[in-house]
Amino acid sequence: DTGVSQDPRHKITKRGQNVTFRCDPISEHNRLYWYRQTLGQGPEFLTYFQNEAQLEKSRLLSDRFSAERPKGSFSTLEIQRTEQGDSAMYLCASSLVALAGPGGTQYFGPGTRLLVL
Amino acid sequence: GENVEQHPSTLSVQEGDSAVIKCTYSDSASNYFPWYKQELGKRPQLIIDIRSNVGEKKDQRIAVTLNKTAKHFSLHITETQPEDSAVYFCAAMAGRRALTFGSGTRLQVQP
């Protein structure tokens, strides 16, 4: 499968625990995005990477959230000291952006559904 | 930052009828406008997109129109089928940044 993949697909955790999600983008894509989607809403931007550089973070991304893309390929999103309000679907997307061109089409992964008890 | 508003939130049509979903955006720098379809429990899938140098784009039963002056864009689905039932999201992007999504439209096509 050459699409965007995410792991795990589902995660149940207790409040206060740390969780980590992984995203594997389409192999030639240089840009990787993280979004959060709650029930009945559209995806909300969290952060994105161009290769290994984290270029932008939303104000939604509190200090408890950290994301990495160490080698410019897969990415991880960690949430520390989870809260019930963190329960959501976490979506990853990737795109190919040319140096001088416009933003590329974003392709989404299946998401990781997080439930914080 | 960008703000995208989407209407209606729900839309019910009879099979074979047309469906229209409308979005407005706030950032005049936005130049890329995709539409995603999301079925229950599945990932958002791109169905059509348009860039700001084009006023209209069509792909079989789906079309998107863009009015940059008024800062609004619309999705048109003709000859709707039950498998078109899903939640549809519009989005806008300024430059090479991230997407800002609308709140979604739940489309139900009645057979």
Side-chain angles (χ1 to χ4, degrees):
Chain A
D1 185 357
T2 56
V4 180
S5 61
Q6 293 186 244
D7 184 71
R9 297 290 308 277
H10 304 273
K11 179 71 177 178
I12 300 174
T13 192
K14 293 182 179 179
R15 187 176 47 158
Q17 298 294 304
N18 299 344
V19 294
T20 300
F21 311 141
R22 176 179 170 125
C23 171
D24 287 89
I26 294 172
S27 60
E28 65 269 24
H29 283 186
N30 52 6
R31 191 167 281 195
L32 187 149
Y33 301 82
W34 285 99
Y35 292 87
R36 180 172 69 187
Q37 186 177 28
T38 53
L39 203 60
Q41 298 297 316
E44 294 176 297
F45 166 70
L46 293 178
T47 188
Y48 79 85
F49 294 83
Q50 175 91 9
N51 299 313
E52 65 275 10
Q54 189 172 17
L55 295 189
E56 188 174 347
K57 292 191 285 187
S58 162
R59 63 182 183 276
L60 292 176
L61 209 68
S62 77
D63 291 345
R64 296 184 297 106
F65 288 69
S66 62
E68 293 182 341
R69 195 183 182 199
K71 297 181 180 179
S73 55
F74 74 91
S75 175
T76 58
L77 177 69
E78 181 183 17
I79 309 175
Q80 295 183 326
R81 304 181 303 281
T82 52
E83 302 174 355
Q84 289 183 324
D86 297 331
S87 296
M89 174 77 86
Y90 290 84
L91 291 163
C92 174
S94 71
S95 68
L96 179 62
V97 177
L99 281 177
T105 299
Q106 293 184 29
Y107 297 91
F108 281 84
T112 295
R113 185 170 295 281
L114 173 66
L115 177 61
V116 182
L117 301 176
Chain B
E2 175 67 278
N3 182 49
V4 177
E5 296 196 354
Q6 183 171 347
H7 300 280
S9 56
T10 60
L11 180 59
S12 182
V13 299
Q14 292 293 317
E15 183 177 358
D17 287 350
S18 295
V20 180
I21 303 170
K22 298 182 178 182
C23 289
T24 60
Y25 61 98
S26 61
D27 188 347
S28 57
S30 288
N31 58 3
Y32 175 62
F33 308 92
W35 286 87
Y36 286 85
K37 174 183 180 182
Q38 188 174 31
E39 297 177 56
L40 190 63
K42 297 194 175 180
R43 72 186 77 192
Q45 293 204 308
L46 180 75
I47 56 170
I48 195 167
D49 57 9
I50 191 167
R51 296 197 182 271
S52 59
N53 58 345
V54 176
E56 183 173 358
K57 184 177 178 180
K58 190 173 182 180
D59 182 4
Q60 299 184 336
R61 297 186 297 109
I62 296 172
V64 56
T65 58
L66 171 65
N67 183 329
K68 283 206 71 182
T69 303
K71 290 192 279 190
H72 67 70
F73 56 113
S74 301
L75 177 71
H76 305 252
I77 306 173
T78 59
E79 301 171 20
T80 53
Q81 301 166 2
E83 52 265 38
D84 294 330
S85 297
V87 179
Y88 291 80
F89 292 99
C90 63
M93 176 193 284
R96 303 165 76 212
R97 302 181 66 195
L99 292 170
T100 300
F101 283 84
S103 54
T105 296
R106 182 173 300 279
L107 174 64
Q108 184 154 13
V109 181
Q110 307 284 355

